Amino acid sequence: PTAVQLGFLPLLSAGVVDLDHLIADVKSGVSGAGRKAETHILFSEASDNFKAYGVAGHRHWPEIRQGLADVSGRQVGLTFVPHITPMIRGMHATLYARLTAEGMKLAGSGADYFQQLYEKRYSAEPFVDVLPPGSLPDTRSVRAANLCRIAIHRPQGGDTLVVLSVIDNLVKGAAGQAVQNMNIMFGLPETLGLTQLPVVP
């Protein structure tokens, strides 16, 4: 939910994309399934393998839609397909949104409207890093940090935007976000205890 919602939020707030046909193609490390004894997340099963799961329905789908609806002021149509990848931690969301007529008009305004839209929306957010145009964020760059890195693309100058959003599912997607929320609730600095740098490699 975190990687998808942060990736779509500026577009939905601006009202420049078709809200009925959003697509989230998400890849998760095996720790995203939790710590339990299940065959499909055993090393020998997950290693050297890549597969989709929960295509017919996933437990995070309603939560993602609820958050996107709150931003949009209406229900949204979302196709959400998660995949499991042979890594311990990390989440990579590739998000697709089709521009409306107004969105296409803004896209042709000369300036890089969508890059500026994201930079402005997240300029005061200490844990969202909007990367320069053309960037390709990877999960290793956020490993063990409470950070979401985002890059926005418009392939071939067409009517579809592609947003790449990466987080560490165990920190920004879980424990780190919990600490961040606690800090806000208790009036503490939002970044308290969360300024550690990503662990690379």
Side-chain angles (χ1 to χ4, degrees), residues 8-19 22 97-107 113-114 117-118 152 159 161:
F8 275 135
L9 190 152
L11 296 174
L12 272 56
S13 296
V16 294
V17 294
D18 177 359
L19 299 177
L22 302 172
R98 180 164 290 176
L99 293 168
T100 60
E102 178 63 21
M104 285 296 289
K105 184 178 175 182
L106 290 166
Y113 172 80
F114 301 109
L117 177 70
Y118 274 72
I152 184 161
D159 66 353
L161 295 176

Side-chain angles (χ1 to χ4, degrees), residues 5-201:
Q5 290 174 354
L6 287 174
F8 275 135
L9 190 152
L11 296 174
L12 272 56
S13 296
V16 294
V17 294
D18 177 359
L19 299 177
D20 294 317
H21 301 95
L22 302 172
I23 298 173
D25 179 13
V26 182
K27 296 86 177 172
S28 170
V30 293
S31 62
R35 191 174 189 189
K36 54 195 170 207
E38 288 190 357
T39 304
H40 75 283
I41 58 175
L42 295 174
F43 179 77
S44 59
E45 298 292 328
S47 182
D48 298 323
N49 196 20
F50 179 81
K51 66 177 182 178
Y53 67 98
V55 179
H58 188 275
R59 61 193 169 109
H60 288 315
W61 181 76
E63 180 184 353
I64 296 169
R65 287 187 72 227
Q66 179 181 346
L68 297 180
D70 288 348
V71 171
S72 304
R74 54 159 279 197
Q75 289 298 314
V76 302
L78 174 71
T79 300
F80 171 62
V81 180
H83 300 74
I84 193 164
T85 62
M87 59 184 183
I88 297 169
R89 61 203 294 167
M91 191 80 53
H92 187 298
T94 304
L95 312 173
Y96 302 88
R98 180 164 290 176
L99 293 168
T100 60
E102 178 63 21
M104 285 296 289
K105 184 178 175 182
L106 290 166
S109 63
D112 194 341
Y113 172 80
F114 301 109
Q115 180 73 24
Q116 293 175 11
L117 177 70
Y118 274 72
E119 289 177 0
K120 182 177 180 182
R121 174 60 184 84
Y122 290 124
S123 62
E125 297 297 336
F127 298 118
V128 181
D129 184 11
V130 178
L131 300 177
S135 296
L136 301 169
D138 56 21
T139 57
R140 188 168 62 169
S141 73
V142 295
R143 184 178 173 88
N146 190 59
L147 185 62
C148 177
R149 286 210 161 104
I150 295 175
I152 184 161
H153 297 260
R154 186 174 162 228
Q156 296 84 47
D159 66 353
T160 301
L161 295 176
V162 177
V163 181
L164 307 176
S165 175
V166 298
I167 64 170
D168 182 323
N169 58 293
L170 297 179
V171 185
K172 184 61 180 168
Q177 187 167 180
V179 172
Q180 184 180 351
N181 290 336
M182 181 191 71
N183 288 343
I184 293 168
M185 290 171 61
F186 286 97
L188 300 168
E190 187 175 347
T191 58
L192 189 66
L194 294 170
T195 56
Q196 68 273 19
L197 296 173
V199 178
V200 180

